[in-house]
Amino acid sequence: HRPAIVCLGDSLTEFGSHVVGPTFADSTLKNLPTASEVLRATDGAVEHGPGWITLLARDYQWRMTADVINRGHSGMTSRLLKADLGHIVASLPVALHNDIAAVVLMLGANDASDSQVPVGEFMQNLVDICTALREMIPSAKLILATPPPINNQVWPAATSNKGYGGGRSLERLKPYAEAVRRAATAIGAPCRLLDLQNDFSTRLMHWADTMHDGFHLSSKGNVFVYKQVGEALRDIGLNPSLLPSKRPPALSAAVDMQDDRDGRYAKSARRS
């Protein structure tokens, strides 16, 4: 079977499936029924892709080694995900349940907004969610990510007339990132911490332009998260270039890829 990687979280995960950037969407796809048009028709949003999940899915599909599934939901908190986890797992194709190789979980941005989830409850919710995931999907390794930082100069201005700023700030978010770190330690192996909040500030000279509105990822921010999540997946043994290719048997028999003219299989450890 072909393994799957499932991504859980809030809008930072949901929007990870964006495809095009805002300039391309506005100038090239303005009059076409694309996903960008659907978003603009609903709430005025514009894509800021390529999203980090879109990029991951491309890598694994290009090598034919795994599927990447997005189960991010805008507005999600740890409290809500804990309540909805069984429903979300049940929404996955039944055939995948024994073949989910990893779950990427990124929460905290909404928990840290006005009167949402206290930091102590947030940490316990993460532990409970990861414990439940181990029971529901024992085949999966866990990657637990801290939420990216918030640009305090941009976010309030971007939301002042929209009514959903939620009191978010970098200062309010920092304790939730620390709670993620503590939760990852408490959970232990096979949970791998991905400290995005720290990575944004230590691996990028200027991270302010990685959020298009001070909170949600820009195209640049999506590429950065893609690289960091990809590195974490490789660390737990899910390098798309080294996993066995899952080409259909009739195709494999009929079309010999050993010459590898497009280079897709040059680094594959083995083929199936």
Side-chain angles (χ1 to χ4, degrees):
H1 293 157
R2 183 160 159 162
I5 298 163
V6 178
C7 302
L8 302 177
D10 48 38
S11 59
L12 297 174
T13 298
E14 180 184 347
F15 297 169
S17 289
H18 282 178
V19 178
V20 298
T23 302
F24 182 83
D26 290 340
S27 64
T28 308
L29 303 179
K30 182 182 297 184
N31 298 316
L32 297 179
T34 65
S36 182
E37 289 296 318
V38 172
L39 290 173
R40 283 202 290 270
T42 54
D43 61 5
V46 175
E47 292 187 63
H48 289 270
W52 62 274
I53 295 176
T54 297
L55 293 169
L56 285 174
R58 174 205 60 185
D59 289 355
Y60 287 93
Q61 172 59 30
W62 187 250
R63 295 286 179 174
M64 301 185 195
T65 52
D67 294 314
V68 182
I69 300 173
N70 188 343
R71 285 296 186 271
H73 297 276
S74 182
M76 185 63 77
T77 66
S78 64
R79 185 185 294 161
L80 294 173
L81 181 58
K82 181 178 176 179
D84 283 336
L85 188 61
H87 175 82
I88 292 172
V89 171
S91 76
L92 299 171
V94 174
L96 286 177
H97 283 194
N98 294 325
D99 296 299
I100 297 175
V103 174
V104 181
L105 174 61
M106 179 167 60
L107 286 172
N110 292 324
D111 293 79
S113 63
D114 282 343
S115 303
Q116 286 287 328
V117 179
V119 67
E121 180 190 345
F122 170 68
M123 178 182 167
Q124 187 58 52
N125 287 343
L126 291 180
V127 173
D128 292 345
I129 290 167
C130 290
T131 300
L133 284 170
R134 281 179 171 175
E135 296 174 356
M136 295 177 184
I137 317 173
S139 60
K141 297 179 181 178
L142 305 178
I143 296 176
L144 190 57
T146 60
I150 293 174
N151 187 328
N152 289 343
Q153 283 68 50
V154 177
W155 176 246
T159 59
S160 60
N161 296 323
K162 298 181 179 180
Y164 59 73
R168 294 180 177 87
S169 69
L170 181 57
E171 291 72 27
R172 180 175 287 191
L173 189 60
K174 284 182 176 179
Y176 288 79
E178 180 58 31
V180 176
R181 300 181 189 110
R182 296 199 309 270
T185 299
I187 296 162
C191 179
R192 198 270 198 195
L193 173 67
L194 174 57
D195 198 344
L196 286 175
Q197 191 164 122
N198 180 68
D199 290 345
F200 268 84
S201 59
T202 59
R203 297 194 178 191
L204 294 173
M205 291 186 63
H206 305 287
W207 60 263
D209 60 348
T210 58
M211 292 87 184
H212 67 86
D213 58 3
F215 172 52
H216 297 101
L217 297 170
S218 66
S219 297
K220 180 178 178 180
N222 270 298
V223 170
F224 182 72
V225 172
Y226 150 70
K227 291 180 178 179
Q228 302 309 112
V229 175
E231 179 181 310
L233 288 167
R234 290 191 294 273
D235 284 348
I236 63 173
L238 295 176
N239 187 325
S241 297
L242 299 180
L243 291 171
S245 172
K246 298 297 183 180
R247 299 177 71 225
L251 175 66
S252 297
V255 181
D256 185 6
M257 294 293 291
Q258 290 186 356
D259 59 1
D260 195 22
R261 282 172 290 180
D262 65 359
R264 279 189 281 175
Y265 300 95
K267 297 180 180 180
S268 293
R270 53 195 172 96
R271 302 178 180 89
S272 63

